Amino acid sequence: MAADQAGDVERMGFQLALRRRGISDQAVLRAMDEVPREYFVAPGFTDSAYADQALPIACGQTISQPYVVGYMTEQLEVAPTHRVLEIGTGSGYQAAVLSRIAREVVSIERYRTLADVARERLKTLGYSNVTILAGDGFLGAPQLAPFDRIIVTAAAEEIPEALIEQLGAGGKLVLPLGPRNGTQYIVKLTKAADGTLTREDLIAVRFVPLLPGQAREL
């Protein structure tokens, strides 16, 4: 089988697996089909790019498994007019998926190496509506707030107050929440016009921890 044919079969299987696990939002499925995941994994893992598993990247971080990316994106309920803040750029894959749906994506990464590589990768792939910032995810991006949607791609033990403040009225925040060595859940918060938060606890997950500050090295 030719390489391009094998790639087509792999992508079809990727989409089928997402649908079988319950991802049904057509905009999310289309975005994940459009973004070439093989460009976001480490060189030694390209053969596993479309497998439903988390994979290691630089700085001890990971690229989340496709199902979790699809699930969190679906729960975020992104519309084409939305501005989205992502905490934890990593390889840039989640930001790339969001960029296919949202008007604008701002992503913060504590490791400058990851931020620089992701920024160049997204530029090369033509994702011009993503801004990558190196900084402290706990602080968010107050200078660019408010945001319609906020997604956190590392597990926090408590919900960062700054992110709640930067979420606009009617906005939604999706993040993994729980202790580093304990049970973590995807949590979805919806902010009412009066600032009241409604919380939903969703599926159990396992993420790398959300750490404060910007990394001094890497």
Side-chain angles (χ1 to χ4, degrees):
M1 183 180 293
D4 57 346
Q5 290 178 314
D8 289 344
V9 170
E10 187 176 56
R11 296 286 280 272
M12 287 175 63
F14 175 69
Q15 285 282 307
L16 183 59
L18 291 172
R19 292 173 184 272
R20 282 178 172 169
R21 295 201 63 183
I23 306 302
S24 60
D25 187 297
Q26 292 304 305
V28 174
L29 290 167
R30 184 166 55 250
M32 294 188 69
D33 186 53
E34 290 176 1
V35 176
R37 188 172 162 90
E38 65 270 21
Y39 286 98
F40 294 87
V41 302
F45 292 90
T46 52
D47 288 346
S48 302
Y50 291 94
D52 194 28
Q53 63 189 70
L55 297 171
I57 58 173
C59 303
Q61 304 302 294
T62 61
I63 176 173
S64 297
Q65 70 185 93
Y67 169 69
V68 171
V69 172
Y71 183 83
M72 291 183 72
T73 305
E74 188 170 66
Q75 290 298 323
L76 206 58
E77 301 176 46
V78 180
T81 57
H82 285 161
R83 298 178 66 246
V84 181
L85 174 65
E86 178 195 28
I87 306 301
T89 310
S91 68
Y93 180 69
Q94 175 72 78
V97 170
L98 289 166
S99 78
R100 302 301 83 198
I101 309 171
R103 175 166 64 92
E104 179 187 358
V105 178
V106 176
S107 185
I108 301 177
E109 174 54 57
R110 74 186 302 265
Y111 293 101
R112 184 169 295 279
T113 296
L114 289 178
D116 290 346
V117 171
R119 188 182 299 112
E120 188 60 33
R121 178 181 290 127
L122 292 166
K123 179 181 177 182
T124 299
L125 292 171
Y127 300 146
S128 59
N129 61 335
V130 182
T131 300
I132 306 293
L133 304 174
D136 184 346
F138 274 88
L139 302 180
Q143 71 279 18
L144 298 174
F147 296 95
D148 303 294
R149 299 290 187 266
I150 299 178
I151 184 171
V152 182
T153 59
E157 295 194 3
E158 295 182 356
I159 301 166
E161 187 63 34
L163 300 186
I164 295 174
E165 292 174 358
Q166 291 167 39
L167 188 63
K172 297 181 187 297
L173 189 162
V174 173
L175 79 164
L177 192 65
R180 185 177 304 191
N181 297 313
T183 304
Q184 301 169 357
Y185 289 93
I186 298 293
V187 170
K188 180 178 181 178
L189 299 174
T190 302
K191 188 175 187 179
D194 64 358
T196 303
L197 294 174
T198 301
R199 171 173 168 167
E200 299 174 67
D201 290 358
L202 305 172
I203 62 172
V205 289
R206 172 62 60 188
F207 273 80
V208 296
L210 180 66
L211 300 174
Q214 183 175 345
R216 294 186 178 181
E217 299 178 357
L218 301 178

